[in-house]
């Protein structure tokens, strides 16, 4: 172990090299919606939106969906026991357009999570051959449905999911939210994921999930993941486990979203999801985040301490400089693709440090049974070491 630790600076550089190769490869593989030829006929699509206390988002979202340049679609929005003005806004919009159907959320069953139950009700009331699940805080360009359905058909996929363009307004959002897309682009080798079709090599993004109804129903729909905190990821993994085809696309020109409003809302949101993404595997989780901290925090710390005339790390300054350079390129690739401000690249050590703290918070809250979201307590799941 001591020999391995002595060699870890070189291991970090090698790891970053392969991360760069993964990111460059993914840039070519992840296509935009509008890169596909339109089919001669378009199937009926049901656009499904769960909404709980979304008065500040829902009108812009629904209006963008109703403005779609698509021949045959419906929009279903479920009011999930909102206590703000969400319902009155939806009723006003429904009077203006017959394609909008507003549903009342039923009582939450004991063994369901809230959003999952809302989405299950939406799916059961829908009539489309294709089902598009999207969030109430998204907004969509008028050609979103035409282009995304064309992509699904051309890829012969059973589900396509997409990166939206994440809007970051406050400094807290700028430092934390972009890490999600950066992590997927840097560490998920899609060329391998598409060939292996293994559930562990997939990421499905809940802000945009377009399913073929037949595949969605065959995997058991939301009922099959009703207690899984990251429903989107769990659904994608079930799709692959059952032999269906999954594709990840770039939706930044078609879908935008302000995922969280402010730093603390981002902290709460990611605290809910991060540990669940790792299937509550404690040792794997700790090893993964420890390695992320070593790779992206130790080299800049080494250079900073060397600049101050102190030797506080085993990292040779020359190798640390190479690692920092690799990291800057890696972050620049992701931030340019996802339209984040370029200057944030130079703040990546702060972003990583904050996200590691959020990851530890996620584990602690889950282990102690104190995780909550939108006023509802989350069920404490079964834990595993590996």
């Amino acid at each position: 172990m001591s020999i391995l630790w002595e060699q870890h600076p070189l291991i970090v550089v090698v790891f970053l090299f392969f991360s760069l190769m993964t990111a460059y490869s993914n840039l070519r593989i992840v296509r935009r919606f509008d890169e596909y030829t339109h089919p001669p006929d378009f199937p009926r699509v049901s656009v499904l939106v769960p909404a709980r206390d979304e008065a500040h988002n829902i009108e812009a979202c629904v209006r963008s969906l109703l403005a779609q340049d698509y021949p045959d679609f419906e929009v279903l929005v479920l009011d999930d026991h909102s206590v703000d003005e969400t319902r009155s806004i939806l009723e006003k919009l429904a009077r203006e357009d017959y394609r909008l159907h507003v549903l009342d959320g039923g009582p939450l069953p004991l063994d369901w999570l809230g959003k999952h139950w809302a989405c299950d009700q939406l799916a059961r009331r829908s009539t489309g051959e294709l089902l598009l699940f999207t969030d109430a805080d998204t907004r969509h360009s008028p050609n979103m449905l035409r282009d995304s359905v064309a992509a699904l058909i051309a890829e012969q996929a059973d589900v396509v999911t997409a990166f939206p363009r994440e809007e970051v307004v406050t400094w807290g959002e700028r430092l934390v939210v972009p890490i999600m897309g950066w992590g997927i682009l840097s560490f998920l080798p899609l060329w391998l994921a598409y060939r292996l079709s293994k559930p562990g090599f997939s990421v499905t993004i809940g802000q945009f999930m377009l399913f073929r109804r037949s595949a969605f129903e065959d995997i058991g729909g939301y009922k099959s993941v009703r207690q899984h905190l990251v429903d989107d990821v769990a659904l994608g993994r079930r799709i692959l486990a059952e032999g269906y085809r999954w594709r990840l696309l770039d939706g930044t020109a078609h879908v935008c979203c302000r995922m969280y409003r402010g730093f603390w809302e981002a902290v709460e949101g990611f605290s809910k999801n991060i540990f669940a993404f790792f299937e509550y595997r404690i040792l794997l989780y700790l090893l993964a985040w420890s390695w992320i901290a070593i790779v992206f925090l130790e080299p800049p710390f080494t250079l900073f301490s060397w600049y101050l005339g102190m030797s506080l790390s085993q990292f040779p300054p020359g190798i640390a400089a190479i690692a920092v350079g690799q990291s800057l390129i890696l972050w620049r690739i992701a931030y340019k693709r996802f339209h984040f401000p370029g200057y944030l690249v130079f703040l990546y050590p702060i972003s990583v440090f904050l996200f590691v703290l959020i990851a530890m918070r996620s584990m602690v809250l889950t282990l102690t049974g104190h995780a909550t979201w939108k006023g509802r307590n989350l069920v404490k799941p079964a834990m595993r070491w590996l």
Side-chain angles (χ1 to χ4, degrees):
M1 181 63 73
S2 61
I3 296 177
L4 186 63
W5 181 249
E6 290 175 2
Q7 297 299 318
H8 87 274
L10 292 176
I11 297 173
V12 166
V13 170
V14 172
F15 175 83
L16 285 168
F17 172 79
F18 282 106
S19 297
L20 282 167
M21 294 302 98
T22 298
Y24 277 118
S25 172
N26 287 342
L27 283 180
R28 297 193 305 271
I29 293 173
V30 178
R31 300 175 65 184
R32 299 190 309 271
F33 289 165
D34 55 8
E35 294 184 45
Y36 297 90
T37 302
H38 288 183
D41 299 302
F42 286 93
R44 180 169 174 79
V45 179
S46 295
V47 183
L48 310 177
V49 184
R52 179 176 171 85
D53 295 335
E54 294 286 355
H56 54 293
N57 288 318
I58 195 64
E59 183 166 2
C61 174
V62 172
R63 287 195 183 280
S64 72
L65 293 170
L66 293 173
Q68 291 301 303
D69 176 22
Y70 193 84
D72 187 12
F73 73 100
E74 62 178 354
V75 178
L76 281 72
V77 182
L78 183 135
D79 175 29
D80 188 15
H81 307 283
S82 299
V83 296
D84 62 5
E85 300 300 315
T86 297
R87 181 55 188 248
S88 61
I89 294 171
L90 288 171
E91 289 175 345
K92 180 191 71 172
L93 295 172
R95 288 192 295 268
E96 299 174 4
D97 196 315
Y98 70 94
R99 295 170 302 177
L100 173 61
H101 308 281
V102 181
L103 310 181
D104 289 317
L108 180 63
L110 291 177
D111 59 341
W112 282 76
L113 293 174
K115 180 184 176 183
H116 306 40
W117 174 236
C119 289
D120 179 76
Q121 295 173 83
L122 286 164
R124 286 189 278 112
R125 293 284 296 274
S126 65
T127 61
E129 180 183 338
L130 304 180
L131 306 178
L132 171 61
F133 292 94
T134 191
D135 289 344
D137 54 7
T138 58
R139 297 186 303 282
H140 306 258
S141 67
N143 56 343
M144 176 274 294
L145 274 183
R146 277 188 180 271
D147 288 348
S148 62
V149 170
L152 180 136
I153 292 172
E155 291 283 0
Q156 299 180 335
D158 298 290
V159 60
V160 294
T161 188
F163 296 105
R165 180 168 60 83
E166 301 287 0
E167 296 177 340
V168 288
V169 178
T170 68
W171 268 105
E173 295 166 63
R174 294 183 190 121
L175 291 172
V176 173
V177 171
I179 288 189
M180 180 180 69
W182 165 81
I184 296 172
L185 191 72
S186 304
F187 305 128
L188 177 63
L190 287 174
W191 65 270
L192 183 62
Y194 289 165
R195 285 165 175 77
L196 294 180
S197 294
K198 297 294 184 181
F201 282 87
S202 71
V203 173
T204 310
I205 300 168
Q207 293 154 328
F208 191 98
M209 301 186 296
L210 180 62
F211 287 91
R212 294 186 189 270
R213 176 186 285 276
S214 56
F216 177 79
E217 292 180 345
D218 189 53
I219 65 170
Y222 263 89
K223 185 177 182 180
S224 66
V225 298
R226 61 188 179 274
Q227 291 188 328
H228 202 295
L229 283 179
V230 282
D231 54 299
D232 45 6
V233 173
L235 285 169
R237 289 173 177 172
R238 286 193 59 80
I239 281 284
L240 287 176
E242 296 299 325
Y244 289 107
R245 187 176 174 92
W246 157 89
R247 285 295 182 266
L248 176 64
L249 302 177
D250 180 349
T252 55
H254 293 74
V255 186
C256 64
C257 172
R258 187 176 179 187
M259 191 175 187
Y260 299 116
R261 292 178 176 268
F263 176 71
W264 285 110
E265 187 172 313
V267 170
E268 291 296 326
F270 285 122
S271 294
K272 172 177 70 76
N273 293 333
I274 303 174
F275 193 33
F277 179 84
F278 284 79
E279 300 287 350
Y280 311 109
R281 300 173 184 268
I282 299 173
L283 185 57
L284 173 64
Y285 191 76
L286 292 173
L287 288 173
W289 287 106
S290 296
W291 180 242
I292 291 295
I294 289 171
V295 170
F296 294 102
L297 296 182
E298 189 179 7
F301 174 76
T302 297
L303 292 182
F304 182 70
S305 62
W306 174 75
Y307 175 77
L308 295 178
M310 297 181 291
S311 180
L312 302 176
S313 171
Q314 292 187 5
F315 236 94
I319 297 180
I322 294 173
V324 169
Q326 291 174 306
S327 298
L328 288 171
I329 296 171
L330 188 64
W331 286 81
R332 179 55 179 160
I333 292 171
Y335 281 22
K336 184 176 181 180
R337 183 62 182 259
F338 299 131
H339 309 288
F340 293 117
Y343 63 82
L344 292 176
V345 169
F346 299 100
L347 302 179
Y348 82 82
I350 300 174
S351 294
V352 171
F353 178 73
L354 290 174
F355 216 81
V356 169
L357 292 180
I358 295 170
M360 295 304 102
R361 182 178 190 269
S362 176
M363 184 179 69
V364 171
L365 289 179
T366 306
L367 289 174
T368 58
H370 290 111
T372 63
W373 182 244
K374 290 199 172 185
R376 287 171 170 161
N377 292 323
L378 302 177
V379 178
K380 183 178 179 180
M383 306 293 166
R384 291 179 286 182
W385 281 104
L386 291 174

